[in-house]
Amino acid sequence: MFEEISEFTMVPEYQVGATVFDLLAANSARPIARVRRDENAWADPIWPVLAGPGLDTQVGMVVHSKRRFGKLVAYNAAREPFGSVSVDSIKRHSIGDTWQVEHVGIGNMTGGQVGSSVGAGLRKSSLVDFVAGDIGQAVNDVSRMRMEFRGADGPGFDVLKPAGLAKRAQVTVRDPRIDRILLFAFYILFHDGLATETPKEYIVDSVRAFSPSNWARKKQRP
């Protein structure tokens, strides 16, 4: 079911000990797939992709590339890489961002934000970006955002983030050959590029700063 669903929503959940992203089928509150990153994994974080009735079967994973910042690599259940997602600047979701999605057997898909938003408009000018870049980022983050990804050999997929602080993303898969694990990789990068925090995210981050596990993690760093 996880690999057959063509319309779904990616939803973040912030916990003190972990960050969780759930994949929800349309009109359902029950996740059918999940990625979870333990907040103690401070170096080279790996996101296991879990599915099955109890969300306890690992069907793949998403790993941060060691060669390039802003790139995630998707692996299947046999721990074989089959695709990657990268973006020029993960902290600037705007009209000018160029995303690259590579998928074995499908080829490359390129895309980005289509249409416009007030925040994206504020950052079109380098001068305005310098003066009001943070304002543009915040406004763009809470604006309705639509993204399209297309390849030479297939129709790709679409993403819609509704207006508001919530960092949900509605995904429509137009090419059934696209592995849904790769779309988890996309969503992790997309989420990280939304700099404006939700109230719950802010509270959890504040608690994490004072948690014993956070201090233990800092002591481990070289």
Side-chain angles (χ1 to χ4, degrees):
M1 184 176 179
F2 164 55
E3 286 296 347
E4 295 176 355
I5 190 169
S6 59
E7 293 186 1
F8 50 87
T9 301
M10 297 285 201
V11 180
E13 172 62 30
Y14 311 108
Q15 305 169 2
V16 174
T19 297
V20 177
F21 294 149
D22 283 338
L23 186 154
L24 309 178
N27 301 318
S28 174
R30 182 178 180 180
I32 60 175
R34 167 178 293 168
V35 294
R36 173 188 173 94
R37 182 186 68 190
D38 189 337
E39 286 302 315
N40 290 325
W42 59 269
D44 300 326
I46 296 174
W47 300 74
V49 181
L50 307 173
L55 296 178
D56 53 5
T57 301
Q58 184 170 341
V59 296
M61 60 183 178
V62 175
V63 180
H64 285 258
S65 172
K66 294 182 179 180
R67 296 184 177 183
R68 177 181 172 183
F69 180 73
K71 179 177 182 179
L72 295 181
V73 182
Y75 290 76
N76 59 24
R79 294 181 178 268
E80 301 168 333
F82 66 87
S84 65
V85 180
S86 60
V87 64
D88 293 337
S89 175
I90 67 169
K91 290 299 180 184
R92 295 171 56 83
H93 283 328
S94 67
I95 294 293
D97 285 345
T98 300
W99 292 68
Q100 296 288 339
V101 180
E102 300 178 8
H103 195 305
V104 173
I106 297 179
N108 298 337
M109 291 172 278
T110 59
Q113 186 175 341
V114 296
S116 185
S117 70
V118 177
L122 284 174
R123 296 204 304 276
K124 286 183 180 179
S125 163
S126 58
L127 177 60
V128 173
D129 180 44
F130 177 78
V131 175
D134 289 343
I135 297 174
Q137 175 78 56
V139 174
N140 197 56
D141 284 354
V142 300
S143 298
R144 182 180 184 274
M145 190 183 304
R146 188 165 61 90
M147 307 177 77
E148 294 180 354
F149 294 84
R150 300 292 182 263
D153 189 37
F157 63 98
D158 299 338
V159 179
L160 174 65
K161 187 195 82 66
L165 276 174
K167 297 182 179 180
R168 291 171 171 251
Q170 300 168 5
V171 181
T172 301
V173 181
R174 303 199 178 280
D175 187 338
R177 298 174 299 170
I178 297 176
D179 195 299
R180 304 325 186 247
I181 295 173
L182 190 63
L183 298 179
F184 266 123
F186 163 81
Y187 180 66
I188 292 170
L189 270 187
F190 176 78
H191 176 276
D192 286 351
L194 297 171
T196 306
E197 292 186 318
T198 65
K200 182 174 182 179
E201 188 179 4
Y202 177 81
I203 293 172
V204 171
D205 280 347
S206 299
V207 174
R208 283 174 180 170
F210 295 97
S211 67
S213 60
N214 182 65
W215 291 107
R217 182 167 69 251
K218 287 183 177 180
K219 290 180 179 179
Q220 295 175 16
R221 296 182 178 178

